[in-house]
Amino acid sequence: MRKAPTKMSASRALYTLDRAMQERLLDRAFGAQHLQRALDYFTHAGVEGCIYCGHKLVERWDHLIPVSAGGGTVVGNMVPACQPCDDSKGAKDYRRWLAGPAKKNPVRGKPEVYAAVVARVEAYQCHFGYVAPADFRAALDATQVAQYEAFLRVVSEFRSRLAQFGLVTVPLSEVEAEQEQQV
Ligand SMILES: [Zn+2]
Protein backbone atom coordinates (compact mmCIF):
# COMPACT_ATOMS: atom_id res chain seq x y z
CA MET A 1 0.00 0.00 0.00
CA ARG A 2 1.38 3.36 -0.94
CA LYS A 3 1.09 6.38 1.28
CA ALA A 4 -0.46 9.53 -0.11
CA PRO A 5 2.05 12.38 -0.41
CA THR A 6 2.31 14.64 2.64
CA LYS A 7 0.27 17.79 2.40
CA MET A 8 1.95 21.07 3.31
CA SER A 9 0.01 23.06 5.84
CA ALA A 10 -0.03 26.85 6.16
CA SER A 11 -1.27 26.52 9.76
CA ARG A 12 1.79 24.45 10.56
CA ALA A 13 4.00 27.13 9.01
CA LEU A 14 2.33 29.78 11.18
CA TYR A 15 2.87 27.59 14.23
CA THR A 16 6.58 27.28 13.35
CA LEU A 17 6.80 31.05 12.95
CA ASP A 18 5.23 31.59 16.36
CA ARG A 19 7.61 29.10 17.93
CA ALA A 20 10.59 30.88 16.31
CA MET A 21 9.42 34.20 17.76
CA GLN A 22 8.91 32.67 21.19
CA GLU A 23 12.41 31.17 21.14
CA ARG A 24 13.88 34.49 20.08
CA LEU A 25 12.26 36.32 23.00
CA LEU A 26 13.12 33.76 25.67
CA ASP A 27 16.52 33.30 27.34
CA ARG A 28 18.97 31.37 25.24
CA ALA A 29 22.40 30.39 26.51
CA PHE A 30 23.18 26.87 25.45
CA GLY A 31 26.47 26.88 23.63
CA ALA A 32 29.17 24.21 23.85
CA GLN A 33 30.29 25.14 27.36
CA HIS A 34 26.72 25.23 28.76
CA LEU A 35 26.01 21.88 27.19
CA GLN A 36 29.17 20.49 28.78
CA ARG A 37 28.14 21.84 32.22
CA ALA A 38 24.84 20.00 31.90
CA LEU A 39 26.55 16.77 30.81
CA ASP A 40 29.09 17.05 33.64
CA TYR A 41 26.24 17.45 36.11
CA PHE A 42 24.46 14.32 34.86
CA THR A 43 27.68 12.28 34.94
CA HIS A 44 28.35 13.46 38.49
CA ALA A 45 24.73 12.77 39.54
CA GLY A 46 24.92 9.27 38.06
CA VAL A 47 22.19 9.95 35.50
CA GLU A 48 22.98 7.96 32.38
CA GLY A 49 21.29 8.24 29.02
CA CYS A 50 17.79 9.62 28.56
CA ILE A 51 16.68 11.47 31.69
CA TYR A 52 13.17 10.04 31.39
CA CYS A 53 13.77 6.35 30.61
CA GLY A 54 17.53 5.76 30.86
CA HIS A 55 17.84 4.68 27.22
CA LYS A 56 21.51 4.79 26.23
CA LEU A 57 20.91 6.29 22.80
CA VAL A 58 20.39 9.99 23.53
CA GLU A 59 19.69 11.96 20.40
CA ARG A 60 17.97 15.12 21.58
CA TRP A 61 18.08 18.02 24.01
CA ASP A 62 14.57 18.47 25.36
CA HIS A 63 13.02 21.54 27.02
CA LEU A 64 11.59 20.36 30.37
CA ILE A 65 9.36 23.42 30.45
CA PRO A 66 8.29 23.89 26.84
CA VAL A 67 9.04 27.07 24.91
CA SER A 68 5.29 27.77 24.67
CA ALA A 69 5.18 27.90 28.49
CA GLY A 70 8.21 30.19 28.75
CA GLY A 71 10.93 27.53 29.11
CA GLY A 72 14.25 28.98 28.00
CA THR A 73 17.01 27.20 26.11
CA VAL A 74 19.27 27.23 29.15
CA VAL A 75 21.10 24.88 31.52
CA GLY A 76 18.53 23.73 34.07
CA ASN A 77 15.79 23.46 31.47
CA MET A 78 17.55 21.42 28.77
CA VAL A 79 17.86 17.67 29.35
CA PRO A 80 19.24 14.78 27.30
CA ALA A 81 16.42 12.61 25.95
CA CYS A 82 16.02 9.69 23.59
CA GLN A 83 14.05 10.21 20.40
CA PRO A 84 10.96 8.15 21.42
CA CYS A 85 10.60 10.04 24.73
CA ASP A 86 11.16 13.43 23.09
CA ASP A 87 8.64 12.73 20.32
CA SER A 88 6.07 11.40 22.77
CA LYS A 89 6.49 14.34 25.14
CA GLY A 90 6.20 16.86 22.31
CA ALA A 91 5.52 20.40 23.55
CA LYS A 92 4.05 19.29 26.86
CA ASP A 93 5.34 20.16 30.31
CA TYR A 94 7.40 17.16 31.48
CA ARG A 95 5.19 16.55 34.54
CA ARG A 96 2.00 16.60 32.48
CA TRP A 97 3.48 14.12 30.04
CA LEU A 98 4.90 11.79 32.72
CA ALA A 99 1.58 11.80 34.60
CA GLY A 100 -0.43 11.35 31.40
CA PRO A 101 -1.64 8.41 29.31
CA ALA A 102 0.81 8.64 26.36
CA LYS A 103 1.73 5.16 25.05
CA LYS A 104 5.48 5.93 24.98
CA ASN A 105 5.48 7.51 28.45
CA PRO A 106 8.11 5.32 30.21
CA VAL A 107 6.59 5.78 33.70
CA ARG A 108 2.94 5.32 32.75
CA GLY A 109 1.21 3.33 35.49
CA LYS A 110 4.40 3.21 37.63
CA PRO A 111 3.96 5.84 40.36
CA GLU A 112 7.22 5.01 42.12
CA VAL A 113 9.24 5.39 38.91
CA TYR A 114 7.35 8.63 38.19
CA ALA A 115 8.40 10.00 41.59
CA ALA A 116 12.03 9.01 40.97
CA VAL A 117 12.15 10.71 37.56
CA VAL A 118 10.53 13.90 38.89
CA ALA A 119 12.99 13.96 41.80
CA ARG A 120 15.90 13.55 39.33
CA VAL A 121 14.59 16.44 37.23
CA GLU A 122 13.97 18.70 40.23
CA ALA A 123 17.48 18.06 41.59
CA TYR A 124 18.89 19.15 38.20
CA GLN A 125 16.76 22.31 38.03
CA CYS A 126 17.64 23.16 41.61
CA HIS A 127 21.38 22.61 41.05
CA PHE A 128 21.38 25.29 38.32
CA GLY A 129 18.85 27.52 40.09
CA TYR A 130 16.29 27.13 37.34
CA VAL A 131 12.83 28.35 38.27
CA ALA A 132 9.98 27.67 35.86
CA PRO A 133 7.99 30.78 34.88
CA ALA A 134 4.22 30.83 35.52
CA ASP A 135 3.57 31.03 31.77
CA PHE A 136 5.12 32.32 28.53
CA ARG A 137 4.46 36.00 29.19
CA ALA A 138 5.77 35.75 32.76
CA ALA A 139 9.16 34.82 31.29
CA LEU A 140 9.35 38.14 29.39
CA ASP A 141 9.91 41.75 30.40
CA ALA A 142 7.39 44.48 29.46
CA THR A 143 9.22 45.41 26.23
CA GLN A 144 9.31 41.79 25.09
CA VAL A 145 5.61 41.32 25.89
CA ALA A 146 4.83 44.39 23.72
CA GLN A 147 7.01 42.96 20.92
CA TYR A 148 5.21 39.65 21.11
CA GLU A 149 1.78 41.30 21.05
CA ALA A 150 2.82 43.30 17.98
CA PHE A 151 4.06 40.10 16.34
CA LEU A 152 0.73 38.38 17.03
CA ARG A 153 -1.15 41.26 15.42
CA VAL A 154 0.99 40.93 12.28
CA VAL A 155 0.41 37.17 12.19
CA SER A 156 -3.32 37.63 12.69
CA GLU A 157 -3.47 40.09 9.79
CA PHE A 158 -1.37 37.79 7.62
CA ARG A 159 -3.61 34.89 8.55
CA SER A 160 -6.70 36.77 7.37
CA ARG A 161 -4.95 37.47 4.09
CA LEU A 162 -4.03 33.78 3.71
CA ALA A 163 -7.67 32.83 4.37
CA GLN A 164 -8.55 34.68 1.16
CA PHE A 165 -6.50 32.09 -0.72
CA GLY A 166 -8.10 29.21 1.17
CA LEU A 167 -4.77 28.37 2.83
CA VAL A 168 -6.12 28.66 6.37
CA THR A 169 -9.61 28.69 7.82
CA VAL A 170 -10.89 31.85 9.43
CA PRO A 171 -11.57 30.42 12.93
CA LEU A 172 -8.89 31.09 15.53
CA SER A 173 -5.61 29.30 14.95
CA GLU A 174 -4.19 27.00 17.62
CA VAL A 175 -1.82 29.77 18.56
CA GLU A 176 -4.51 32.39 19.00
CA ALA A 177 -6.80 29.96 20.82
CA GLU A 178 -3.95 29.26 23.22
CA GLN A 179 -3.45 32.99 23.79
CA GLU A 180 -7.13 33.36 24.61
CA GLN A 181 -6.93 30.61 27.21
CA GLN A 182 -4.08 32.41 28.91
CA VAL A 183 -6.09 35.58 29.33
ZN1 LIG B 1 13.75 8.05 26.85
Side-chain angles (χ1 to χ4, degrees):
M1 193 173 66
R2 286 191 194 163
K3 267 179 147 181
T6 312
K7 202 172 151 193
M8 294 289 174
S9 149
S11 290
R12 181 80 205 164
L14 291 176
Y15 170 83
T16 305
L17 196 61
D18 185 56
R19 158 85 188 217
M21 186 62 185
Q22 290 178 333
E23 274 200 43
R24 196 186 77 67
L25 292 170
L26 293 169
D27 293 339
R28 185 180 184 97
F30 206 64
Q33 87 258 31
H34 302 98
L35 190 151
Q36 195 55 51
R37 279 178 69 204
L39 289 175
D40 289 347
Y41 168 83
F42 289 118
T43 303
H44 191 72
V47 177
E48 277 187 66
C50 171
I51 192 162
Y52 303 118
C53 74
H55 197 292
K56 294 281 180 286
L57 187 60
V58 169
E59 294 169 291
R60 311 261 178 91
W61 281 100
D62 179 48
H63 290 81
L64 288 167
I65 307 301
V67 169
S68 59
T73 306
V74 295
V75 180
N77 195 42
M78 300 307 289
V79 288
C82 70
Q83 180 245 313
C85 282
D86 189 42
D87 286 343
S88 173
K89 178 176 170 290
K92 289 180 219 60
D93 177 283
Y94 76 97
R95 276 159 309 195
R96 221 183 100 210
W97 172 63
L98 290 171
K103 250 191 218 165
K104 296 270 175 72
N105 169 3
V107 307
R108 185 173 63 142
K110 300 174 196 160
E112 68 293 343
V113 188
Y114 169 86
V117 174
V118 170
R120 189 188 297 164
V121 167
E122 285 177 348
Y124 166 63
Q125 290 176 316
C126 183
H127 181 82
F128 289 105
Y130 183 79
V131 180
D135 57 32
F136 177 70
R137 281 172 172 71
L140 308 180
D141 64 29
T143 309
Q144 291 169 321
V145 170
Q147 272 191 326
Y148 189 59
E149 300 293 349
F151 165 80
L152 289 180
R153 284 194 293 277
V154 170
V155 171
S156 174
E157 205 176 294
F158 184 50
R159 192 183 162 80
S160 306
R161 301 283 296 272
L162 293 181
Q164 294 169 1
F165 298 99
L167 276 168
V168 289
T169 47
V170 177
L172 291 177
S173 69
E174 281 173 29
V175 173
E176 288 160 325
E178 202 179 283
Q179 297 306 329
E180 291 229 321
Q181 281 170 15
Q182 286 174 9
V183 174

